[in-house]
Structure formats: structure tokens, C-alpha cells
Amino acid sequence: MDSLSYKTQFVNKANADKNWVLVDAKDKVLGRVCSDVAKILRGKNKPSFSPNSDCGDNVIVINSDHIKLTGKKWTNKKYVRHTGYTGGQRISTPLIEKAKSSTRLIEYAVRGMLPKNKLGREIFKNLHVFEGAEHSHAAQKPVEIKL
């Protein structure tokens, strides 16, 4: 038997088949949308998934200002960060973050679902979130998918 005929091909940055995907987040629940977006960014929806390389697609999320949260999460959910100084812990809620920019809610949720290492930071750069229905990546001809 020819041993070269069935060698496994591993995906790396050079030969990854990366596409552009458009996701409409209008009237969708935050966590459910973001978990699907994180899978697409990571490349877990492809048969050529490789856990040690950036083989996922570029994702454009539109209508982030129409995202929904269930229950009392608008007021009870907490985002905790630290400035690095003594007593520098800062706590905010999704209402406060949405008032600043509604794209932050999706970015925080997706970043939390990606690996916490150099690869995760590289993959996160493939996410593009927009508040309205218009986006600046029309030249890439993104394919809209239904979640």
C-alpha cells in the first residue's frame, strides 16, 4: 500500500481557506449569537479544523444595537475590570456598556469564548462588529448566514 496517498494535511496560515461571513444580530440573544460567531472565527465549523492555527473565517456582525439579553441581565450582569492601580477595580453593567458602544457587548462575549493566548488574540482580529445595518466590508463580498 502506498503510504503517501493517505497522509493527513494540516491547515496552517498559508493554506487556510478563509472566507468572509455576515451575521445579522437583530433581535437575537447575545450569548447564542456570540457562541456561533466564536465557532466560526475559530474554524470549528470546517472539516479542516486545526486547533493550533488560525483557520476560521472573518466574521462581520451587523445590528449590534438591536441585541437582546434575557431575564434581568441588563442590570444584574457585571463586567469587572481592573486599572492596575490599588483600589482600581471597576464594575459596569451591560446598560452602561451599551450606552458607550453597543459593539462592546458582542466583543466582550466573543473574546471570552476564544482561547486566552496569542492565537486567541490573533483570531479576535478577524471579528468586525457594526452598530447599524451598514458595514464597510462590502468589497470582500461576505456571505450572509442564518444562525
Side-chain angles (χ1 to χ4, degrees):
M1 180 178 229
D2 185 16
S3 65
L4 295 178
S5 65
Y6 57 89
K7 284 206 172 198
T8 303
Q9 297 295 321
F10 289 102
V11 178
N12 57 22
K13 197 171 188 175
N15 61 6
D17 182 29
K18 296 178 74 73
N19 300 317
W20 285 79
V21 175
L22 180 70
V23 175
D24 189 2
K26 186 169 189 165
D27 297 329
K28 300 261 177 32
V29 180
L30 176 68
R32 296 183 186 271
V33 169
C34 293
S35 66
D36 289 336
V37 167
K39 287 176 195 170
I40 295 168
L41 280 172
R42 188 88 198 275
K44 287 194 164 192
N45 60 338
K46 295 182 176 184
S48 62
F49 171 68
S50 178
N52 62 338
S53 66
D54 180 10
C55 58
D57 294 331
N58 295 294
V59 178
I60 303 166
V61 180
I62 57 172
N63 292 322
S64 68
D65 50 348
H66 296 292
I67 199 83
K68 293 194 306 188
L69 289 172
T70 58
K72 297 181 180 179
K73 291 190 187 95
W74 283 112
T75 54
N76 291 356
K77 184 176 173 63
K78 305 280 187 239
Y79 292 117
V80 181
R81 65 181 180 88
H82 201 282
T83 63
Y85 290 97
T86 306
Q89 189 175 27
R90 304 288 184 254
I91 298 173
S92 65
T93 62
L95 274 178
I96 296 170
E97 295 298 323
K98 187 176 180 184
K100 294 178 186 174
S101 174
S102 64
T103 62
R104 288 184 179 195
L105 297 176
I106 293 177
E107 288 172 353
Y108 288 165
V110 172
R111 182 175 286 159
M113 296 176 191
L114 292 176
K116 278 66 170 179
N117 55 20
K118 195 185 301 185
L119 179 63
R121 291 186 293 274
E122 181 81 20
I123 291 172
F124 184 71
K125 293 176 186 176
N126 296 330
L127 175 68
H128 309 279
V129 184
F130 295 95
E131 291 185 351
E134 300 296 320
H135 61 88
S136 60
H137 297 284
Q140 281 74 29
K141 298 182 180 81
V143 177
E144 184 171 0
I145 60 169
K146 304 287 184 201
L147 300 180

